[in-house]
Every structure is written in C-alpha cells, then in structure tokens.
Amino acid sequence: MGQSSSTENGVCSKPACVHTASSMMQNMAHNWEQLDPCTDFYEMACGGFRERMGTEFARVGEHIIQKHVNNVIREVIERPYKEAAEYHDIMIRNNIDEQNHQMLQRDYQSCMNTEAREKAGRAPLIKLLDDLAEVWPINLDEVDDTTSFSDSGRQHLQNAIIFLEKLGISSFRTVKQSGQLAVAFPNPFDPVVPFHAVSYPKPLLKDPSKAKDDAAKISKLFVAGFFPGGKNMSESQAESLAKEVVAFDNEISSRVTVGQTEAGAILQANPELGNMAGVEVLSFDELADLAPTLGLDKVLTFFGPVDSTPDSILVSSPSVFSNVSALVEATPKVVIQGWMISKIVFEFADEVTDDTLAQLLPDPTGDYYRPFEKCLLHTDGTLRWILDRYFVSATYTDAMRETVAKMTTNVQSAIVKRFSELDWMSDEVKAQATAKAQQMLHSIGFPTENPDLRSPNSLAAYYQDLNITDDYFSNVLAGRLNNLRTAYATIGKPSARDRWLTSAHEYGASYYPLSNTIFINAGFTQTPTFHSDLPSYALYGGLGVVIGHEITHGFDVNGKKHDERGALRNWWDSTSTAAFEEKAECFVDQFNKFQVPIPDGKVANVSGLNTLGENIADAGGLSASFKAWKALSDGEKNNKNLPGLENFTHEQLFFLSWANNWCAVIDPASSQQLVLTDNHAPDSYRIIGGAQNSREFKEAWNCPVKEPTCELF
C-alpha cells in the first residue's frame, strides 16, 4: 500500500505487537487489497470483523476488550487472596487489603450461589412489599378514595418516598446521574461550590403508547401475588388498579414532557445556558414550598449531613414538581401505592428467582452477559472501587499510567498549537481556548482520592458502613443504601474536580465540562488499543485519538459554553461564534446524509444535529493525535513495524489502528434504537465521516482530493 521502512526499523515481536497486528489483520476484509481506502475504508478495515461476528450486535470495545477485562477480574476475584495478591504491581498490601478482598469475594460468591438464590425465590421481594405496607398501610377498599391528603396522609406518603429512595429507586425526583448516584454537583457558575440538584420525577414506564400492554402486565403481577403480604387479588380488582396505575404514570410522563419542552424552548432562545436551560436556583425554604405533598425538603434532610443543609438547590423546571404534586393530591392513595409497588417489582425482578417474573419482566440483557459477568455487574454496584483495585493491580502498571499521562500531555499540546493556527478564531478566543486546554485536569487510570485505589485503608474507610453477608438480596439492598449515603455525604463539601463517575475497569473515557476534566479509564488502556510496547503510531492511532476526542469535547457545541474552571460563561466573541456555527453546520449536513438499515428493509437517516458534539470531537481528536505523534522526537518514537503489516506505511497503520476502535456489527433493530437515542454516530460512520474529514488520512492513502469535507480544529 505504500513505502515502509521495515528494514531500517525492524519488526516488533513482543506479544503486544503480535496481538495487535493479529487483531488488525483479522478485522480487515479478506479482499482488502481490492478496496479503495479513499472510498471504502470502513469495509477495508472492518470487513473481516463483520464476517467473523455474523449478524448479531458486536463491537470491538464492548465484545472483545471488555470481555477480556471481565475475564481478568473473574480470575482475580475467584482466587484466594494470596494468589490474587501475586498480581499486585503498584499497590500496597497489608491485612486490611486481605480483608477487603474477602469482602469482595463474599459479595461476588453470594451472587454466584444460584442454589441459595433459587431456594429464596420471590420471598425477598415480597418482604420489601410488606415493608412498604408497614411504612404506608394499604387498603384495597380505598381504590375510589379521592379525598385530599391529610397531614398524616402526607407523612405516610413522604415516608414511602424515602423508603423507595433507600432502595435506590427514584419516584418523584431523580437521584441518578451518569450511571452512579449523585446528589451534589459543581455550581455551573462557580464550580468550586457544590450544589444539590433535584431533577425530574421518574415515571415507571417508558412508552405511554403501550399503556394497554403495560396495564395487562401489572395486572398479572398483582394477581400472581406481587402485592404486600403476597396477597392474590381478583382479576377484576387487579385490572382496575393496574389501569389506574398506568394512567397515573402516563400523566406524570406528560407533565415531565411539558417541563422538558419548556426547557428546550429556553435553550433554543438562550443556547449559552446549555444544561442549565429550565433550571432554577431555589433556597431550601423555596424547595419545601414548591411541592409540599412530595416533601422534597424532607428527603434532603433525612439523608443529608445533619449540619449541612444546602442554602441553594438546582431544580429542573420547578413547575413540573408543583404540577405532579397537584396530580398526587388528586389521585387515590391506593393508586399511588400500586405505582410504588410496581416500581419496586420492576426494579428488583432480575434480583430474585421466579418464573412469573421471568415471563412478565424478562431480563432485558438476555444472554448478552455471561452469568459471572452479571455478578461482576452486581459487585461493581456494591464494591466498585475494591473491584477496580484488583483489576488495576492485575493489568495496570506505573509505566502504563505514565505513558498515558505523557500521551495526554502531548495531544493537549497539539490541540493548543492548532488553536494558534486557526484563522477563524480571534486572538482573544485563542487565548481563552489555550488557557482552558492547559488547565484541563487529566485523571488517568483510576481514582487516587475519595477513595485512593492504591490504599487498602482508604478503601476500607470508604466502605466502613457496608455490611456484606452471604445473602445476595441483602447485599443488593446494602450496596444501594451505602451508595446513597456516600452520595449525600458530598453535600456541603467542595466539589472535587477528579471525582470519578464510572468504574476504572470500564472500557471508556470521558470529559466532564463542569470540572474541565478528562478521565481515561484503565479499562480502556488494554491491548489492542493500548500497550506500552506498541509502536508510537499504533498508540496514537488507538488510544491517542480517544484522548484527543475527549479533550476536543471541551470545545464542542456544549463544552465551549464552559470556561477553564468549568463555569458556564460565554468567552466567545460574536465573530468567532459565527465562524464556529458555520463550520459546525457542515458536520450537521454531512452526517444527515448517512443512512443505516432498520427493520423491514427500511433505512433511517443519522441525525447530524444530535450527533454534532461527538462528530466534532471525533474529527478534532483524530487530527490532534496524528499531529502529536508526528511531533514526537526521534528519541521518543518507537518505529518498529507490526508483524505481517510491513507493506503499510506508519501513517496508514496509524489510521488502521484508529479504525479498529470502531469495528462493529449492528443489527437493524439496534440501529433503529441507536439512531433515536445515541448521541454518537453509528460506528461505521465514525470511521467513514472521520476519514472524509481528515486531511492527514487523505494524504496517507494518496486520495485524489486532500481537502477535508468538514473541519473545525
């Protein structure tokens, strides 16, 4: 394909190089030599992956690397401590470490003990429903009672709301963000100061158009005894209550939608507000008065630090809470109770063994996860940071972390240099962009504070209030409550810029605009994406592009609204803004033309607007990483050739390494769902669009047109 320098540089024969080269060759189309990379690079780089995986949903990261990560964790977690400790490289070992490992094993083994779980059956879930009935006594004869709540009735309702929150279940406010419980956030206007955040009520059901089917399902659950006391209702009684429960839930959805629509209109008129559109800052007393029946203030005082009631609270569309409160006051209490019962059953259906639940509420993941992986997911939710410690111990050395940190600094420098070359940015905006990039925090690999994964004592202190037993369901509940307490403990404390919201072993990386921080997970830095022994072009083509992608997020359509501290502030002048928007529109138009197959032989168009931020980050990251690699000195570069790929130039191998991140097989049904919900372009178009937008790619493959289709950074 091009002129290589294999004789001069030699071939890398280290295991990481052999593994990565093998992966790249297996993923390439068997007829790659007959394909034109300028017009069909995705097929050239990933055609073999598609043939190997068949027609089922599959991605390199989720199915190859993450599966490998899970296998490593399984091996470490199932071994006795003395054997598991042999993996340790950068970690401290002591008696506390052994106790942490024993707690981790006990939790994991309680999940893997299928015999005990089958013996318990539905009983643990029925007990939860009975506990709810003790908090708020239920009388089915009151199904027609529409009287307003008395003071005692309000107290019962608020106690029930708190009961659900202890279980990690959102009812009339949302308590989850980014996959982890989070109740305190940086103040968008002064990120050092934390804010408590109250977001929209969370309906039980996702699609109001399926009300009839949902009501039938809930009715069958009631008839089958999933009601306090395990009492079996009559079919007519169950049908009547289920219909009212679904109608109540749909009305909540409707009122939330109104608030979200209003917030959308505010954002359209004031794009600089970003995620703050529709959000108001209320005092604690104003929160209490907003929806007295729902007791939003009482939830906060129940869980929050005794001596740290927040003065200011961020509330999404406050009118929604007033409207939902009015709805609750006009709804028979047994309907609200039925709604809460249904929430508990839906939430914990996968945690107990029961034929009725398996039929009516099947595990949405199906056979996607192997049994031990489901238990790893459970343990991740309960003892995430201890689990991560042993993964990091087994796979992640100091040298690897230093390499990633150096790469991140190099890619950041390339982006800063690129700012100075842009003719559409004013000098003032260039200076601000440079300051933001240079002050961006890099959190590499795993958390080192709150807790510090390197310290057994720090981990033990973090989980000191968590009691793990041999009973699986008890551990599920204990883990949820401990996560809730830990989250509420952050109220009133200064916001930590490097607070991790995802597990370190997860295959991923992220940028958090409110703290101007990027996170590069240890789980992402695995072969074939990363290994310290890989040639520089493979490192920067694989991991380097992802680093550049996350840094560029700081300057995309959302990131540009935040300054170097993460505060919402418009630091762009009108001329630079107009130029940005014109160039961004190119990406919108480009990706709007891409189509994916969906069921029944139809196609759906990608939304260039919904995927704009990710597409800008893809283009910026690819360009920045290439420039960072090229800027390395001869002493910094590892120029060895990958075995079997000596006929490709290093520039071409850079782009093949990049494409390997996004090889995927997406079935039509999944494509349809992803086009509607994912803010990333489909994997194939991340490669196709990325190649179209890269001058360096076109030069590497000697394409006839070198000009990128769209370009910002």
Side-chain angles (χ1 to χ4, degrees):
M1 296 297 296
Q3 182 66 40
S4 69
S5 52
S6 58
T7 302
E8 177 185 346
N9 297 314
V11 176
C12 175
S13 59
K14 293 184 177 181
C17 295
V18 174
H19 181 184
T20 295
S22 174
S23 174
M24 291 172 65
M25 288 187 287
Q26 287 180 9
N27 288 344
M28 291 172 67
H30 70 276
N31 63 335
W32 63 266
E33 291 178 293
Q34 301 169 22
L35 300 174
D36 182 358
C38 301
T39 58
D40 210 0
F41 188 60
Y42 178 73
E43 179 63 21
M44 176 185 171
C46 297
F49 181 84
R50 188 191 65 251
E51 292 177 3
R52 212 165 69 249
M53 294 296 167
T55 58
E56 295 186 5
F57 187 99
R59 281 172 163 158
V60 165
E62 295 175 17
H63 290 75
I64 306 299
I65 298 178
Q66 190 65 61
K67 295 286 185 186
H68 163 72
V69 166
N70 293 343
N71 288 336
V72 170
I73 296 174
R74 180 188 189 182
E75 186 170 354
V76 175
I77 202 173
E78 290 183 352
R79 287 185 172 203
Y81 173 74
K82 289 184 179 179
E83 293 182 25
E86 294 174 1
Y87 280 107
H88 290 207
D89 179 69
I90 61 172
M91 300 296 183
I92 300 168
R93 286 182 287 171
N94 56 26
N95 291 337
I96 299 297
D97 189 42
E98 184 170 4
Q99 293 169 16
N100 290 344
H101 187 268
Q102 289 170 349
M103 182 164 63
L104 184 71
Q105 275 194 329
R106 193 177 192 186
D107 183 49
Y108 173 76
Q109 289 167 354
S110 76
C111 178
M112 292 294 287
N113 190 347
T114 54
E115 182 179 349
R117 293 176 62 181
E118 288 174 0
K119 184 177 180 180
R122 66 166 65 176
L125 181 51
I126 296 298
K127 185 181 184 306
L128 273 190
L129 303 182
D130 291 345
D131 291 345
L132 174 64
E134 287 188 15
V135 171
W136 192 10
I138 296 172
N139 185 351
L140 289 175
D141 295 332
E142 296 177 341
V143 70
D144 296 323
D145 179 11
T146 57
T147 57
S148 298
F149 282 97
S150 62
D151 289 342
S152 62
R154 281 186 177 182
Q155 187 62 56
H156 278 130
L157 168 65
Q158 291 164 9
N159 289 343
I161 292 171
I162 290 172
F163 178 81
L164 261 67
E165 187 126 344
K166 285 181 181 179
L167 302 178
I169 299 176
S170 303
S171 55
F172 299 110
R173 46 166 273 154
T174 303
V175 297
K176 283 188 177 181
Q177 173 135 337
S178 301
Q180 187 183 49
L181 287 172
V183 298
F185 303 90
N187 179 340
F189 303 104
D190 186 3
V192 175
V193 180
F195 256 147
H196 176 64
V198 176
S199 193
Y200 296 109
K202 187 172 183 179
L204 166 68
L205 307 167
K206 296 180 179 179
D207 188 352
S209 69
K210 296 181 179 178
K212 186 175 180 180
D213 292 340
D214 289 331
K217 185 182 299 181
I218 292 172
S219 175
K220 289 177 181 177
L221 289 169
F222 290 163
V223 169
F226 288 97
F227 209 77
K231 179 180 178 181
N232 294 68
M233 289 190 196
S234 68
E235 289 189 8
S236 61
Q237 199 174 28
E239 288 175 4
S240 175
L241 179 57
K243 287 179 181 177
E244 292 198 57
V245 166
V246 171
F248 174 69
D249 189 71
N250 287 347
E251 188 58 35
I252 292 175
S253 294
S254 176
R255 298 184 187 208
V256 169
T257 299
V258 169
Q260 291 172 331
T261 302
E262 292 173 350
I266 293 172
L267 177 61
Q268 189 170 10
N270 305 274
E272 71 281 359
L273 290 177
N275 294 333
M276 285 294 291
V279 176
E280 296 184 23
V281 181
L282 303 185
S283 68
F284 184 80
D285 290 339
E286 289 172 330
L287 179 71
D289 294 337
L290 178 62
T293 297
L294 303 183
L296 299 176
D297 57 319
K298 304 223 173 17
V299 174
L300 181 53
T301 54
F302 183 88
F303 289 105
V306 175
D307 57 349
S308 186
T309 301
D311 297 324
S312 302
I313 298 101
L314 296 179
V315 181
S316 300
S317 302
S319 62
V320 170
F321 294 93
S322 300
N323 292 335
V324 170
S325 182
L327 170 66
V328 168
E329 292 171 4
T331 300
K333 71 175 186 178
V334 72
V335 175
I336 303 170
Q337 290 167 327
W339 181 72
M340 289 183 165
I341 289 165
S342 300
K343 267 186 165 285
I344 293 173
V345 175
F346 275 54
E347 184 78 11
F348 292 103
D350 295 336
E351 309 292 6
V352 297
T353 303
D354 183 83
D355 291 340
T356 300
L357 289 176
Q359 180 182 0
L360 294 175
L361 300 173
D363 184 349
T365 63
D367 297 328
Y368 180 81
Y369 295 111
R370 294 166 286 180
F372 84 88
E373 288 178 316
K374 293 184 179 182
C375 288
L376 289 182
L377 287 173
H378 155 72
T379 304
D380 176 58
T382 307
L383 293 162
R384 166 170 292 178
W385 304 125
I386 296 179
L387 181 74
D388 275 346
R389 170 182 170 82
Y390 293 103
F391 167 72
V392 169
S393 298
T395 66
Y396 204 66
T397 66
D398 264 339
M400 292 170 68
R401 196 166 190 235
E402 290 168 4
T403 298
V404 176
K406 179 62 175 176
M407 289 177 64
T408 304
T409 299
N410 290 343
V411 174
Q412 174 185 283
S413 297
I415 288 177
V416 168
K417 185 174 185 298
R418 179 59 178 153
F419 288 151
S420 68
E421 299 168 350
L422 297 175
D423 59 7
W424 57 269
M425 263 190 186
S426 68
D427 290 341
E428 292 78 8
V429 173
K430 288 179 183 179
Q432 291 275 354
T434 297
K436 180 173 183 178
Q438 291 176 335
Q439 293 181 43
M440 190 176 288
L441 183 65
H442 308 158
S443 193
I444 307 297
F446 53 87
T448 56
E449 291 185 20
N450 300 315
D452 183 350
L453 258 64
R454 300 166 298 186
S455 167
N457 295 69
S458 177
L459 290 166
Y462 189 86
Y463 291 108
Q464 63 183 341
D465 296 325
L466 178 59
N467 180 35
I468 295 297
T469 70
D470 293 326
D471 182 73
Y472 171 69
F473 199 80
S474 295
N475 292 340
V476 171
L477 300 183
R480 285 173 172 240
L481 181 57
N482 189 67
N483 290 340
L484 189 73
R485 287 171 174 162
T486 302
Y488 273 97
T490 61
I491 291 177
K493 295 181 179 179
S495 298
R497 289 186 66 191
D498 58 349
R499 180 188 177 198
W500 280 67
L501 295 176
T502 62
S503 60
H505 72 266
E506 182 178 315
Y507 180 81
S510 55
Y511 170 76
Y512 191 37
L514 283 174
S515 63
N516 192 28
T517 302
I518 62 168
F519 299 86
I520 310 298
N521 302 21
F524 198 92
T525 50
Q526 304 295 310
T527 309
T529 303
F530 171 87
H531 194 284
S532 300
D533 290 338
L534 290 176
S536 302
Y537 55 81
L539 282 175
Y540 280 83
L543 178 61
V545 174
V546 175
I547 293 171
H549 172 101
E550 300 306 336
I551 295 175
T552 305
H553 268 313
F555 308 93
D556 68 11
V557 286
N558 181 49
K560 68 186 286 290
K561 298 170 185 174
H562 298 261
D563 65 15
E564 68 279 1
R565 300 177 304 132
L568 269 174
R569 180 173 69 85
N570 184 12
W571 47 275
W572 290 69
D573 57 44
S574 57
T575 302
S576 299
T577 296
F580 178 98
E581 291 175 350
E582 180 182 354
K583 291 177 177 296
E585 191 62 31
C586 176
F587 287 89
V588 174
D589 294 340
Q590 177 192 23
F591 280 82
N592 275 341
K593 297 172 184 175
F594 295 146
Q595 295 181 324
V596 295
I598 61 175
D600 301 323
K602 299 178 181 178
V603 296
N605 283 77
V606 175
S607 171
L609 184 60
N610 292 345
T611 60
L612 177 58
E614 296 296 334
N615 298 332
I616 290 173
D618 277 348
L622 186 61
S623 175
S625 188
F626 188 91
K627 289 179 170 64
W629 165 55
K630 282 295 189 178
L632 295 175
S633 66
D634 290 340
E636 293 177 298
K637 284 181 181 177
N638 172 356
N639 286 324
K640 294 282 187 179
N641 294 290
L642 289 175
L645 296 168
E646 294 90 343
N647 288 332
F648 291 96
T649 68
H650 292 171
E651 288 78 9
Q652 291 167 346
L653 288 172
F654 173 96
F655 290 104
L656 282 170
S657 299
W658 157 66
N660 264 255
N661 283 337
W662 310 119
C663 289
V665 176
I666 312 294
D667 61 273
S670 297
S671 288
Q672 184 175 36
Q673 182 67 17
L674 289 171
V675 164
L676 293 173
T677 61
D678 196 349
N679 60 352
H680 298 83
D683 301 74
S684 58
Y685 289 118
R686 297 187 75 170
I687 296 177
I688 294 169
Q692 291 177 357
N693 296 333
S694 171
R695 183 186 304 275
E696 295 87 355
F697 173 89
K698 297 180 177 186
E699 290 174 348
W701 296 97
N702 197 28
C703 299
V705 177
K706 304 297 190 296
E707 193 72 18
T709 302
C710 301
E711 185 179 47
L712 253 170
F713 303 116

